[in-house]
Amino acid sequence: MKNSEQLYKALSERILILDGAMGTMLQRYKFEEEDYRGERFKDWEHPVKGNNDLLSLTQPQAIEEVHKKYLEAGADIIETNTFSGTTIAMADYYMEDLVYELNYESAKIARKACDEYTAKNPDKPRFVAGSIGPTNKTASLSPDVNDPGYRAITFDELRIAYKQQAEALLDGGSDILLVETIFDTLNAKAALFAIDEIQDERGIKIPIMVSGTITDASGRTLSGQTAEAFLISISHLNLLSVGFNCALGANQLTPYLETLAHNSQFYVSAYPNAGLPNAFGKYDETPEFMAEQIKEYVEKGLINIIGGCCGTTPDHIKAISDLVQNYQPRKLKEFV
């Protein structure tokens, strides 16, 4: 892929900045049902408010605006607005047929914004990460407490859905595929299997970022894996990076990043929330406070890619970007 060389070169030289939360920024627009629908979907039979991925078609200027705010704040890598961009997740809105278009157009919007900023400063190339979220189904847990053997979805159904999403993200101009917020590693394995199929079919090497989520103080993913087990179960592929995002604030994430940093031959990424949510579901950590927490990561040499998840804004990303300028990226380990 054409930008891969630049990406690996940048990673060897400095800590790269990933963007912050898309949802947090979109809340500021206070979009209502009719804004989500736009002209094209004004007669859609089902409610669509809350379908943020749809905004790439109905409010593309808002999506581009958010991307540019993060680029302005110093982001090197911009995520596409496609966290729920599979037929599985879009079934909630009866919009499965739009999946290819949603992903393709989202990638194009991010590509345009990145190219604009790279042209302004060719020494700081910007990259598009196609965001592949976890879907709202799990392949290794039963949704029915009375029937532990039951599964709401099969591995093959997940593979097919992820493959469609990944192909559209690549066709729209993504440099990286980011399998993120993994709470069930079997879902992630289906996504990685699909991406590997695409690599074989297209004869290309795709930089793949994998980011799991530790759901609580137990230090495990929702499907029960420790950080080390998670790493082992995805390490069969030649990944660009492995890391954690969401669920926890920067401080709580440190021990799990240490596990990855000390045991992985891949680059390490982190994009925590702006602390833990308060009683109203809001995130209170200021940009300065969050940057101060992240200082521990860089002082210990734990990371190569850093950004923000829920509750983070361009101000958070700018504070983090300013902080990491003075630190070296984590050095890759050689494992025999």
Side-chain angles (χ1 to χ4, degrees):
M1 291 175 66
K2 67 180 170 65
N3 289 342
S4 290
E5 210 172 293
Q6 282 185 311
L7 175 62
Y8 280 94
K9 183 174 183 291
L11 276 164
S12 70
E13 295 169 348
R14 58 197 170 87
I15 296 170
L16 295 193
I17 305 296
L18 189 68
D19 59 6
M22 174 61 78
T24 300
M25 294 300 289
L26 290 174
Q27 283 169 9
R28 296 180 174 186
Y29 288 86
K30 297 187 165 52
F31 287 138
E32 294 299 335
E33 180 71 31
E34 60 270 26
D35 302 305
Y36 276 87
R37 288 172 174 265
E39 188 57 32
R40 180 172 164 188
F41 301 100
K42 68 177 196 297
D43 298 325
W44 197 254
E45 290 173 16
H46 310 278
V48 296
K49 186 179 175 183
N51 184 355
N52 283 351
D53 294 23
L54 183 63
L55 296 173
S56 293
L57 302 183
T58 57
Q59 303 290 340
Q61 72 295 340
I63 303 302
E64 187 177 347
E65 213 166 71
V66 173
H67 287 330
K68 286 183 172 178
K69 282 179 176 159
Y70 282 123
L71 289 163
E72 200 61 49
D76 298 288
I77 303 170
I78 290 293
E79 287 191 54
T80 56
N81 178 42
T82 54
F83 187 79
S84 301
T86 55
T87 48
I88 297 158
M90 280 296 144
D92 287 355
Y93 302 97
Y94 303 88
M95 288 185 157
E96 297 95 321
D97 291 347
L98 291 172
V99 162
Y100 184 90
E101 185 186 0
L102 280 172
N103 285 280
Y104 180 78
E105 291 302 328
S106 294
K108 273 180 70 176
I109 295 167
R111 177 81 274 153
K112 177 172 174 271
C114 283
D115 288 350
E116 205 174 294
Y117 275 77
T118 300
K120 284 183 193 173
N121 181 3
D123 292 337
K124 187 178 165 69
R126 313 299 179 105
F127 306 97
V128 177
S131 166
I132 298 176
T135 81
N136 49 9
K137 300 265 197 312
T138 166
S140 61
L141 296 169
S142 172
D144 181 356
V145 291
N146 298 312
D147 185 0
Y150 173 72
R151 295 293 179 268
I153 197 152
T154 66
F155 184 90
D156 212 43
E157 286 167 333
L158 284 164
R159 177 190 65 79
I160 291 163
Y162 283 130
K163 190 171 183 183
Q164 181 189 22
Q165 181 178 25
E167 288 182 321
L169 288 168
L170 292 169
D171 294 347
S174 298
D175 302 302
I176 301 162
L177 290 179
L178 168 55
V179 181
E180 65 172 332
T181 323
I182 298 160
F183 59 83
D184 176 15
T185 310
L186 201 52
N187 282 36
K189 283 171 105 62
L192 294 170
F193 189 91
I195 294 167
D196 210 26
E197 280 189 324
I198 297 167
Q199 292 189 121
D200 285 346
E201 288 164 12
R202 297 190 178 194
I204 56 173
K205 183 178 180 307
I206 303 164
I208 307 164
M209 295 176 67
V210 169
S211 186
T213 189
I214 299 288
T215 46
D216 57 33
S218 72
R220 293 173 180 266
T221 64
L222 190 66
S223 53
Q225 284 188 314
T226 61
E228 195 165 12
F230 169 69
L231 174 63
I232 290 165
S233 60
I234 54 164
S235 288
H236 59 288
L237 268 177
N238 184 17
L239 304 174
L240 174 72
S241 70
V242 63
F244 288 115
N245 72 291
C246 203
L248 302 175
N251 205 22
Q252 293 88 354
L253 208 52
T254 309
Y256 314 118
L257 290 176
E258 287 179 322
T259 298
L260 295 184
H262 297 150
N263 295 289
S264 173
Q265 71 270 38
F266 309 124
Y267 292 110
V268 170
S269 72
Y271 48 117
N273 291 347
L276 297 173
N278 63 25
F280 304 101
K282 303 286 185 198
Y283 294 87
D284 298 326
E285 274 190 11
T286 63
E288 297 71 29
F289 188 81
M290 188 173 177
E292 192 55 40
Q293 308 279 305
I294 280 166
K295 197 171 185 181
E296 188 178 1
Y297 299 176
V298 289
E299 284 178 342
K300 289 181 171 178
L302 302 179
I303 55 163
N304 304 95
I305 301 168
I306 183 73
C309 206
C310 307
T312 57
T313 66
D315 289 341
H316 288 82
I317 297 307
K318 177 155 186 6
I320 292 166
S321 175
D322 290 347
L323 167 80
V324 304
Q325 305 299 326
N326 309 316
Y327 292 89
Q328 288 298 307
R330 167 182 163 273
K331 295 280 173 274
L332 288 197
K333 291 181 181 299
E334 291 295 329
F335 289 89
V336 179

